[in-house]
Amino acid sequence: MSHHFAQVLLERKEADVILLDCTKAFDRLPHDVIVNSLRKHGVDGCLLALFSDYLKGRREREVTSEVPQGSILGPVLFTVAVNGLSGVVSSKVLQYADDIVLYRKVNSEADFVALQKDLDSLTKWCEEVGLDINPKKSQHLRISNKKFQTAVPTRNYNFNGEAIPAEGEAECLGATFSSRLDWTGQVDKLVAKCRKRLYAIKAFPRRFGVVKQLLFNSLVRSVMDYASSSWHSTGKGLQKKLDNIQKKFLQIIRLGCL
């Protein structure tokens, strides 16, 4: 995702990104939609009947929708059910489970019209498959380095008649994307989260040095490394903020050994 957006900036162009918020997507997807999607993908006979039985009768009361969460098959079944999304729009679609992102390079009014048309088509598609999109929680992000950006003719994109708010930063899969991809918001968020966890680790007595190292790797380092392949190209100032987190931990360990 960050690669696609970085290419837009390298080409000195602009792109509009629509991050759609699916309301309880796993809970509201009808079972018949999942079964029909499996059938379209070549699953039939006993195997299709097995999947159908797997979805139905999982509780004492009758449930006609919901993908089983916490299971291995849950995300797979959801992905299969919504796999037809890319076929109803002309813009590029980036999707991971219930996180759906549409983006399109915008050079003229025709591009804005095409993206809005895709959102209208997506509205009809969501009604057919049983997905509920919340426009107010969805986000519109403009990827651009230009000082004077091309304005959307209608001011805002709309989904099902409701305006999608335009934002300077948007979060997807735990990563914060900005219009210029400078990653300031992402790093500031990580630093604040890591400082809180370092404070908790510091409370352990000095003799628990090994425990502190394990906690640092599992609670702090894992947060710092998350999606780092996307935002590794940050400036020196942001890199210094991240380095200070590790230096602070080394000070805690050193003081604990005294």
Side-chain angles (χ1 to χ4, degrees):
M1 184 169 164
S2 59
H3 171 73
H4 291 290
F5 298 163
Q7 286 297 116
V8 173
L9 297 181
L10 287 173
E11 295 172 3
R12 298 182 181 275
K13 294 183 179 179
E14 296 179 287
D16 276 341
V17 183
I18 307 295
L19 299 96
L20 298 172
D21 179 80
C22 298
T23 305
K24 296 183 178 180
F26 283 85
D27 295 333
R28 298 185 178 182
L29 197 63
H31 290 162
D32 58 343
V33 171
I34 301 173
V35 174
N36 290 334
S37 296
L38 288 170
R39 186 180 291 108
K40 291 178 181 178
H41 283 78
V43 179
D44 56 10
C46 295
L47 185 58
L48 183 64
L50 178 64
F51 279 120
S52 181
D53 290 341
Y54 172 74
L55 292 168
K56 298 175 182 178
R58 296 178 61 83
R59 298 178 182 175
E60 293 181 1
R61 61 185 178 84
E62 183 65 21
V63 179
T64 58
S65 63
E66 181 183 353
V67 175
Q69 299 187 46
S71 64
I72 297 174
L73 287 176
V76 177
L77 293 174
F78 183 87
T79 302
V80 171
V82 299
N83 193 40
L85 185 152
S86 58
V88 299
V89 297
S90 60
S91 301
K92 291 186 179 180
V93 179
L94 302 173
Q95 181 184 353
Y96 181 80
D98 59 340
D99 289 287
I100 302 172
V101 178
L102 269 68
Y103 90 95
R104 189 184 192 94
K105 294 179 182 178
V106 288
N107 301 313
S108 63
E109 185 174 346
D111 296 316
F112 296 110
V113 173
L115 184 52
Q116 181 58 60
K117 186 177 179 181
D118 286 339
L119 289 171
D120 295 338
S121 299
L122 191 57
T123 301
K124 297 178 182 178
W125 180 83
C126 287
E127 292 176 356
E128 293 175 1
V129 300
L131 278 182
D132 186 14
I133 302 294
N134 188 341
K136 294 181 180 178
K137 291 187 177 180
S138 299
Q139 297 171 304
H140 164 220
L141 178 68
R142 169 65 61 83
I143 301 297
S144 176
N145 267 331
K146 296 181 179 181
K147 184 176 181 180
F148 299 102
Q149 300 179 2
T150 308
V152 180
T154 56
R155 295 189 62 182
N156 291 95
Y157 290 103
N158 296 281
F159 189 92
N160 199 20
E162 293 189 49
I164 298 175
E167 305 288 351
E169 290 184 342
E171 186 171 331
C172 183
L173 295 174
T176 303
F177 295 84
S178 66
S179 180
R180 297 176 181 268
L181 293 186
D182 55 13
W183 303 109
T184 302
Q186 173 70 9
V187 172
D188 288 346
K189 180 184 69 174
L190 290 182
V191 169
K193 191 173 184 178
C194 290
R195 284 186 181 277
K196 290 180 181 179
R197 298 188 177 192
L198 273 180
Y199 183 79
I201 294 173
K202 186 179 179 181
F204 278 74
R206 294 182 178 180
R207 63 180 181 275
F208 291 105
V210 176
V211 176
K212 288 181 179 180
Q213 293 181 42
L214 290 173
L215 289 173
F216 176 81
N217 289 330
S218 60
L219 299 179
V220 179
R221 190 70 195 183
S222 60
V223 173
M224 294 174 65
D225 288 342
Y226 179 76
S228 58
S229 59
S230 297
W231 51 267
H232 70 281
S233 58
T234 54
K236 291 184 178 180
L238 297 179
Q239 289 287 352
K240 189 175 181 180
K241 289 184 178 182
L242 294 170
D243 291 339
N244 286 339
I245 294 294
Q246 187 151 315
K247 289 179 181 179
K248 184 68 176 178
F249 173 72
L250 292 175
Q251 289 176 359
I252 294 173
I253 291 294
R254 187 168 63 251
L255 290 173
C257 296
L258 296 177

